[in-house]
Amino acid sequence: MKFQTDEQEKVYEKVYKELPAIIEKKCSGYDELYGYKLNYGDKDKELVTKYFDESIARALIFKLCKAYDFKYDDVKTHIIDILNWRKKFNPLDAAFKEKHNETLQTIGLVTHYPTAKPNKQVITWNLYGAISGKKEYFKDVDAFVRYRVGLMERGLRLLDFENDDNSYMAQVHDYKGVSMFKMDSDTKKCTRQVIAIFQEFYPELLSSKYFINVPSILVWVFDVIKTFVDSNTKKKFVLLGDGKKLGSHLPECPSKDYGGEDTKNTLQQQSVGTPRPTEYTLYLFEKENNDIE
């Protein structure tokens, strides 16, 4: 963790010190973030001993402080909002337990390149050609959003939050095979909700976002998406009309279709599937099952 000023470090330490009280008083005790336990002051000391990792918790709080410019009130407010949203939405279920539409599951992939350049080791892929013109996949907005959040959470599981150089992920949106279409109200609603959720509840996690195989006639899609995001996120957008140019940005990707250095594997073969959840996630799943019973 690198602080630019003493004031930044003071804000960070204040937030971390108050974390148990914030969780207990403002989040009804819910303390899970990206599968990791945050409350080191939990009354159940056994949970702290088994599941709390101080280095990861500190790294996550630093990331949130950085996301909101080390402004104490903003950081505190967003911690509360994020944890309360996670308690209500249950993104871990979306990632590891729920069965999503089979077609949607084939368009969303996660790859992990351990030897890649910093912050390009984990990539989530969205292959929109498979659902080109099939508006039915956007009719059930909640189902689409839960699928998309689940993909995000699976990618997060592979990040190394203790190493800032590998605590961000890249995203690829591949429009190969997408025919010209109008973005109807359902599609727009899905797009808005996903972008809003990622901006509000997943800050300081994106290294870069690539829009590839975007024909000139569909550049408007890119322009529409830009209207929904903040200026900092826009700076991370890269538009590539030719998908094979992606290899110059992400060399580890397949040579076929993307121009990378891997001549042996397809993207599907590179996919890591569903990674194993954290131990704290597995504990929460078990507790969830017991509560239902």
Side-chain angles (χ1 to χ4, degrees):
M1 294 182 292
K2 297 178 181 179
F3 301 97
Q4 295 181 353
T5 65
D6 290 341
E7 184 59 30
Q8 285 187 353
E9 188 169 5
K10 288 179 181 178
V11 169
Y12 164 79
E13 291 296 346
K14 182 179 181 181
V15 172
Y16 188 79
K17 182 179 180 181
E18 295 180 359
L19 197 55
I22 293 172
I23 290 169
E24 291 300 329
K25 295 179 180 179
K26 300 295 184 178
C27 307
S28 303
Y30 191 85
D31 72 341
E32 171 274 325
L33 182 61
Y34 312 147
Y36 298 98
K37 182 175 179 61
L38 292 183
N39 189 3
Y40 57 85
D42 198 313
K43 295 178 182 178
D44 190 333
K45 301 304 179 185
E46 184 178 352
L47 290 182
V48 177
T49 300
K50 291 181 67 174
Y51 302 114
F52 179 73
D53 186 316
E54 182 177 359
S55 61
I56 292 179
R58 282 188 170 275
L60 291 176
I61 295 305
F62 176 78
K63 192 175 273 287
L64 291 174
C65 287
K66 186 177 179 182
Y68 304 109
D69 298 321
F70 292 89
K71 296 177 181 178
Y72 172 78
D73 290 338
D74 288 349
V75 174
K76 181 179 176 180
T77 295
H78 281 90
I79 288 175
I80 293 169
D81 289 345
I82 289 169
L83 294 184
N84 282 328
W85 174 80
R86 293 185 71 84
K87 181 180 180 181
K88 181 179 180 180
F89 189 93
N90 202 343
L92 296 179
D93 271 18
F96 301 108
K97 293 178 68 175
E98 295 172 15
K99 185 175 181 180
H100 303 286
N101 178 282
E102 290 184 6
T103 300
L104 289 179
Q105 292 191 132
T106 61
I107 71 168
L109 305 173
V110 180
T111 55
H112 185 210
Y113 307 120
T115 60
K117 292 181 179 179
N119 288 322
K120 291 187 178 180
Q121 293 190 352
V122 178
I123 304 170
T124 58
W125 300 73
N126 295 274
L127 313 178
Y128 290 117
I131 55 173
S132 176
K134 300 177 181 178
K135 297 178 182 180
E136 64 267 23
Y137 293 109
F138 300 97
K139 289 293 183 183
D140 189 338
V141 177
D142 290 339
F144 184 88
V145 170
R146 293 196 67 80
Y147 141 74
R148 188 64 186 83
V149 168
L151 179 66
M152 180 71 169
E153 290 283 334
R154 291 196 294 276
L156 291 178
R157 178 65 186 94
L158 300 172
L159 295 182
D160 181 2
F161 289 111
E162 295 177 272
N163 178 357
D164 193 54
D165 284 340
N166 288 307
S167 66
Y168 297 79
M169 68 167 65
Q171 295 179 0
V172 176
H173 292 249
D174 187 352
Y175 289 87
K176 183 177 181 180
V178 174
S179 58
M180 191 177 76
F181 63 94
K182 291 184 178 180
M183 188 177 279
D184 63 13
S185 59
D186 292 326
T187 306
K188 286 182 179 179
K189 190 173 182 180
C190 285
T191 302
R192 288 195 187 99
Q193 283 199 23
V194 169
I195 291 175
I197 285 173
F198 285 178
Q199 287 201 138
E200 188 70 18
F201 305 121
Y202 294 92
E204 200 63 26
L205 292 167
L206 180 68
S207 63
S208 49
K209 179 177 287 194
Y210 300 92
F211 296 81
I212 67 172
N213 291 313
V214 182
S216 57
I217 201 169
L218 282 179
V219 170
W220 64 268
V221 176
F222 178 76
D223 292 334
V224 168
I225 292 174
K226 287 198 297 183
T227 64
F228 299 149
V229 302
D230 57 42
S231 58
N232 288 331
T233 302
K234 289 178 186 177
K235 295 176 183 178
K236 301 175 181 179
F237 285 6
V238 180
L239 177 64
L240 300 173
D242 181 359
K244 289 200 171 184
K245 291 183 179 180
L246 183 64
S248 63
H249 298 268
L250 306 172
E252 290 76 12
C253 69
S255 59
K256 182 180 180 181
D257 297 327
Y258 301 109
E261 297 173 354
D262 188 343
T263 60
K264 297 181 180 180
N265 300 298
T266 64
L267 181 61
Q268 285 70 23
Q269 289 172 320
Q270 284 190 349
S271 172
V272 298
T274 300
R276 177 180 170 82
T278 65
E279 293 304 314
Y280 191 46
T281 298
L282 293 174
Y283 161 76
L284 292 175
F285 285 164
E286 182 178 359
K287 184 176 183 296
E288 184 181 285
N289 290 336
N290 290 337
D291 289 345
I292 293 175
E293 294 174 2

